[in-house]
């Protein structure tokens, strides 16, 4: 599998970051953070990002649904060192947005993820609001 474009692994291009400490229970038999635990770390960071980007404020009454996720494991992730998850919006559509994440540990990229998130209302997919679109512009990936 080819590695992602190096520009996508540059933490300086991501406007959001948060630090998450892995738990001992996240380890696999080789003493690395297991893939399922890393998917959970990515999910936690996406929720933090969504809240920071104004999702709760500007999309009240709507839910989110992951329509697609691709996770590239680029290196081993170890316990107990914290990971820093960087996030950015890659693109926004009518009812969905694509979020990029790169996970760094000790200054090295160890995971890259691209997730398509759809907004959902009582009747199915719902449009992103103008207020959210305006707020989210500052959280775009810096090309």
């Amino acid at each position: 599998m080819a590695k992602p474009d190096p520009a996508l692994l540059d933490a300086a291009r991501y406007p959001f970051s948060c630090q998450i400490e892995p738990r001992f229970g996240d380890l696999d038999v080789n003493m690395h953070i297991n893939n399922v635990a890393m998917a959970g770390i990515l999910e936690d960071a996406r929720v933090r990002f969504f809240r920071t980007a104004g999702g709760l404020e500007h999309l009240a009454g709507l839910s989110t649904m992951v329509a697609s996720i691709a996770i590239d494991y680029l290196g081993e992730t170890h316990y107990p060192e914290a990971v820093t998850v960087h996030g950015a919006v890659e693109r926004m559509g009518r009812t969905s947005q694509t979020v990029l994440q790169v996970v760094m540990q000790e200054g090295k990229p160890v995971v890259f993820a691209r997730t398509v998130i759809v907004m959902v209302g009582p009747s199915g997919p719902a449009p992103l609001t103008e207020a959210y679109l305006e707020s989210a512009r500052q959280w775009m990936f810096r090309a």
Side-chain angles (χ1 to χ4, degrees):
M1 175 190 314
K3 282 191 178 184
D5 179 337
L8 296 172
L9 305 180
D10 180 359
R13 294 176 176 234
Y14 291 81
F16 172 84
S17 68
C18 64
Q19 208 171 42
I20 298 177
E21 292 189 24
R23 302 165 306 165
F24 181 78
D26 294 337
L27 297 177
D28 61 20
V29 296
N30 296 314
M31 303 306 284
H32 304 128
I33 304 304
N34 75 54
N35 292 359
V36 173
M38 184 54 70
I41 288 170
L42 289 164
E43 176 184 54
D44 185 349
R46 274 195 316 275
V47 170
R48 294 177 194 212
F49 178 50
F50 181 73
R51 293 171 67 99
T52 301
L56 292 180
E57 175 185 354
H58 300 299
L59 295 168
L62 299 177
S63 299
T64 60
M65 178 182 296
V66 172
S68 171
I69 185 167
I71 303 172
D72 295 329
Y73 297 93
L74 308 172
E76 298 173 351
T77 311
H78 302 280
Y79 173 86
E81 292 81 23
V83 296
T84 302
V85 183
H86 300 274
V89 175
E90 181 180 33
R91 68 179 72 99
M92 292 183 279
R94 191 179 74 77
T95 63
S96 67
Q97 60 185 321
T98 303
V99 174
L100 302 176
Q101 294 173 289
V102 64
V103 180
M104 310 288 280
Q105 190 175 54
E106 297 182 331
K108 293 182 249 176
V110 291
V111 172
F112 172 75
R114 178 178 274 126
T115 308
V116 177
I117 301 167
V118 177
M119 299 312 303
V120 180
S123 302
L128 297 167
T129 65
E130 287 300 320
Y132 179 74
L133 292 170
E134 183 63 33
S135 175
R137 281 189 181 86
Q138 67 183 309
W139 302 102
M140 298 294 290
F141 181 74
R142 298 174 184 142

